[in-house]
Amino acid sequence: MPTPVHALAHCSLSSAAVTEFLALPQQPATGEEFDALDAAVRARGWSWEHDCLPGAYRTGFGHLLCTEGNSPFGDPAARRFLAFGELYPLDPDDEDLANRSWLGELVDDWGRAPGWTVLRPSTVAACVEVLDRAADAVTAHLGAPAERTVTSDAAVVTGPAMPHRIWRTATQAVIVGPHADNGPYGYLTHLQLAASPLGLAPELPPADDIAALDRWIETHVDW
C-alpha cells in the first residue's frame, strides 16, 4: 500500500497561542507604514517569514501567521490563519513519486524551525491527532467545544479528508482543520487555525448538511 502521508511537520498549538491569535483584531492598528508594522512585529517577538510561507509572520510560538490586508493588527474585517502543521499527502496523480524529492524538502523546511517536528512517513491518523490537540487548545481558550465537526476534503487539493471543527464567538468564525497550501500548486496541506469576521455568514448550516458546511468553511478560510 502507498504511504497515505509521505511527511508531516507540526508544532503544537497551545491555548496561549490561540489567545494571542484571536485577540489580533482588537490590538492597536499599526497603519500603512512599514517601520511601524515592523516595530510592532519585533516587539511581540515575531519575525518575517519569507521561505516556508512568503508574506507570512512567524510568531513567538513558532507558528506561521498569514492575513488579509497589510497588517495582522487591529483589522476586524481581515481573514487570517495560523499554520501549526504542514503535510505532504499521497498524490494519486503522481504514481512515480516524481514530486517527492522537492515536496519532501519543502516539508523539511517547515520542520527545521524551533519547536517543529517532522514525521516521515506519517499517517492520516497522526495528522488527525495533531488537529485533535489543536482543537483541545481552542476549546480550553473559548471554554466550549466546537459547535460543528465535519470530516471533509473540500478545502484541500490532494486529500485526505480530515475533521474541520467550527466555533463562533460574538465576532469571529473560528475553524481548525486542513487547508490547501496554495504556494506549491496545492500539493501540500496546512493544518491551521483560521479566524474570520462572523458577519461573512453568521448562521451555521445544520450538522447533517455536509455540502452547506463545506461552503461555510470555504467562505471563511479562502481569500
Side-chain angles (χ1 to χ4, degrees):
M1 290 290 291
T3 303
V5 177
H6 296 301
L8 165 66
H10 66 95
C11 178
S12 295
L13 187 69
S14 65
S15 59
V18 175
T19 299
E20 178 185 62
F21 175 70
L22 294 183
L24 291 175
Q26 288 77 48
Q27 302 305 303
T30 59
E32 299 290 330
E33 293 186 4
F34 174 79
D35 288 347
L37 175 56
D38 186 60
V41 167
R42 305 291 181 188
R44 284 178 171 265
W46 294 9
S47 60
W48 299 85
E49 176 60 40
H50 302 293
D51 297 324
C52 296
L53 192 57
Y57 308 89
R58 189 173 294 277
T59 74
F61 295 98
H63 309 116
L64 296 187
L65 170 70
C66 191
T67 184
E68 284 185 305
N70 295 321
S71 169
F73 308 117
D75 186 358
R79 285 173 286 193
R80 59 203 180 280
F81 69 81
L82 191 70
F84 53 84
E86 187 79 351
L87 64 113
Y88 168 25
L90 173 70
D91 181 357
D93 296 323
D94 185 27
E95 294 180 358
D96 296 329
L97 300 180
N99 294 321
R100 182 163 62 177
S101 59
W102 69 278
L103 290 175
E105 289 176 1
L106 289 176
V107 175
D108 285 338
D109 289 342
W110 285 72
R112 289 189 183 97
W116 284 74
T117 300
V118 177
L119 301 176
R120 178 183 286 106
S122 189
T123 63
V124 175
C127 298
V128 170
E129 183 180 351
V130 172
L131 289 171
D132 290 347
R133 293 198 300 268
D136 289 343
V138 177
T139 294
H141 169 72
L142 295 178
E147 290 186 70
R148 297 282 191 276
T149 299
V150 55
T151 297
S152 170
D153 62 0
V156 301
V157 175
T158 54
M162 286 183 282
H164 295 260
R165 292 181 176 88
I166 299 168
W167 294 258
R168 290 176 297 172
T169 71
T171 58
Q172 299 183 80
V174 180
I175 303 167
V176 167
H179 192 271
D181 180 334
N182 293 316
Y185 310 105
Y187 288 137
L188 301 185
T189 299
H190 298 317
L191 301 182
Q192 67 180 35
L193 168 64
S196 302
L198 187 59
L200 292 171
E203 299 302 321
L204 269 175
D208 59 352
D209 191 341
I210 304 303
L213 284 169
D214 283 347
R215 291 192 296 271
W216 197 93
I217 290 167
E218 290 168 354
T219 294
H220 290 91
V221 301
D222 284 337
W223 71 81

